[in-house]
Amino acid sequence: MKNFLAMVFLLASTANAEDRNKWTGANKPLKEASYLIYAGESGDRRPPTNTDRKLAIAIRGQAAKEIFDSIGPDAKGVSCSAEDGERMRSKGELWCSYMPSDGYMCFLGFDLRTGKPHSGGSC
């Protein structure tokens, strides 16, 4: 699980091609993120229990844009809304969206009992 989080934060810090010459290897602050510990499934969340605890992480803003740009191309025929201009991208259990009205957002998650990754969000 630590390796996966490190990979996500590394992706966020290295994705911007224009800044490659300025790359320092230093972590960037993650300013717009939230998390939830819950039981159940992403679309049917309940309070966590002793046997079912999952972590969902939502990242917004510049970090989400850098991750979105790193995991292209756009998914075809997939949408979560009827908004014109919506775009979706995913790699494994990491998925991101762009909506003109709401900007960039990425979701990832982990089963805290097994350490296995999961999507961390749903439409």
Side-chain angles (χ1 to χ4, degrees):
M1 184 166 86
K2 290 180 184 176
N3 289 341
F4 187 77
L5 279 175
M7 179 186 73
V8 170
F9 291 119
L10 182 60
L11 280 174
S13 68
T14 62
N16 194 339
E18 299 86 52
D19 289 339
R20 286 195 193 266
N21 292 335
K22 300 176 192 173
W23 190 80
T24 65
N27 290 342
K28 295 180 183 179
L30 190 56
K31 297 176 184 176
E32 296 183 62
S34 59
Y35 75 94
L36 176 68
I37 296 176
Y38 68 97
E41 300 303 319
S42 293
D44 183 26
R45 294 176 176 170
R46 297 184 305 279
T49 68
N50 288 337
T51 59
D52 188 3
R53 298 179 81 80
K54 296 181 180 83
L55 171 65
I57 301 170
I59 302 169
R60 293 182 176 268
Q62 182 61 33
K65 181 184 184 318
E66 290 181 29
I67 296 167
F68 182 94
D69 289 344
S70 296
I71 65 170
D74 289 3
K76 304 290 185 213
V78 178
S79 67
C80 286
S81 74
E83 184 174 345
D84 287 338
E86 177 188 37
R87 298 169 60 199
M88 307 284 287
R89 294 182 176 182
S90 67
K91 288 284 189 222
E93 297 296 331
L94 171 65
W95 68 277
C96 298
S97 66
Y98 169 76
M99 287 192 256
S101 65
D102 201 28
Y104 293 91
M105 191 164 194
C106 293
F107 302 92
L108 61 135
F110 300 94
D111 183 314
L112 295 173
R113 295 294 172 229
T114 65
K116 293 183 179 176
H118 68 83
S119 65
S122 66
C123 291

